[in-house]
Amino acid sequence: MSEHGGDGLDEDLRVPACERCPELVASRSRIVDGVGPTDADLLFVGEGPGATEDEEGEPFVGRSGDVLDEALRDAGLARADVRITNCVRCRPPDNRDPTTEELSNCRGHLEAEIDRLDPALIVTLGKVPSEHLLDRSVAITSASGDVVDARLAGASRRVLLSVHPAATLYDRSQRDGFFETIARAAELSGVGERGENGDGQSRLGEF
């Protein structure tokens, strides 16, 4: 596998125009596509773009993105090592949850991304992506850290459930658990181990 999937491959996963969801079309300033290598072994799936993401055109670049970046660093990873995407690619008005119809309208784009990456592990960041990918209700605070199998993009795939990084901003008691879950993601996907000399290795032994 190449280090980066190549610009041509990434173009295939971009959504240049979409008018399926009238409310999202009205509230977005742009379509926010996934970022990161198209051959990444670790795929993070959030709910949808917020105000900062809509402005900058990249998922998880606001305050919650800072928390995710910090947790990745703690696990011996960089943002450039992983792929980050969302269930819907356009910002819902007033940051409301995407509707079932909006999630369904965008599902094909997400499935195409999962199919292309064929990741070793998918991490759902929050209740909405967890419920959307597993197609069942999820009590995310208690389920965070669980690994389940789900049939996605034509294959059975491992999914690690996690709270949304923003949860750690509102409830500091969730911070340790979130960081442990991201460390577990690095371990399960095999992405966090950098070289045999242990240089830059993640602190997985602590968990």
Side-chain angles (χ1 to χ4, degrees):
M1 278 208 250
S2 64
E3 186 185 346
H4 301 289
D7 292 339
L9 292 177
D10 204 39
E11 278 303 324
D12 295 348
L13 296 179
R14 291 204 176 100
V15 181
C18 182
E19 306 283 327
R20 281 187 197 166
C21 307
E23 280 192 53
L24 300 196
V25 171
S27 72
R28 76 185 184 205
S29 63
R30 73 188 75 207
I31 294 171
V32 180
D33 289 310
V35 293
T38 52
D39 55 3
D41 285 321
L42 189 49
L43 172 66
F44 290 90
V45 181
E47 176 180 324
T52 313
E53 289 80 10
D54 179 70
E55 191 178 309
E56 297 188 23
E58 185 171 327
F60 285 94
V61 289
R63 286 177 68 207
S64 59
D66 292 340
V67 177
L68 177 59
D69 287 348
E70 190 182 342
L72 287 171
R73 280 196 302 274
D74 232 41
L77 295 170
R79 181 179 270 253
D81 298 328
V82 303
R83 180 91 179 174
I84 305 173
T85 195
N86 280 310
C87 291
V88 297
R89 296 182 183 229
C90 302
R91 182 192 177 193
D94 303 319
N95 285 349
R96 65 158 170 75
D97 288 349
T99 65
T100 304
E101 185 179 6
E102 288 162 355
L103 287 165
S104 175
N105 283 345
C106 221
R107 180 71 178 231
H109 302 314
L110 181 58
E111 295 253 347
E113 201 163 10
I114 293 169
D115 183 54
R116 164 59 57 74
L117 263 72
D118 192 23
L121 183 71
I122 297 169
V123 182
T124 55
L125 297 172
K127 184 179 179 71
V128 169
S130 301
E131 294 190 335
H132 183 51
L133 290 189
L134 300 187
D135 196 25
R136 61 176 170 82
S137 64
V138 175
I140 193 59
T141 307
S142 55
S144 189
D146 290 354
V147 180
V148 295
D149 288 315
R151 188 148 191 93
L152 299 165
S156 180
R157 303 180 192 276
R158 282 195 307 174
V159 179
L160 173 63
L161 307 180
S162 173
V163 296
H164 194 283
T168 68
L169 298 170
Y170 309 122
D171 179 0
R172 294 288 293 182
S173 69
Q174 299 211 36
R175 184 178 167 87
D176 287 350
F178 177 72
F179 275 61
E180 286 171 22
T181 300
I182 301 306
R184 189 165 188 222
E187 181 181 29
L188 289 170
S189 63
V191 178
E193 292 142 8
R194 295 184 184 165
E196 292 170 17
N197 60 4
D199 224 16
Q201 203 150 21
S202 53
R203 309 177 335 214
L204 298 171
E206 295 179 18
F207 304 118

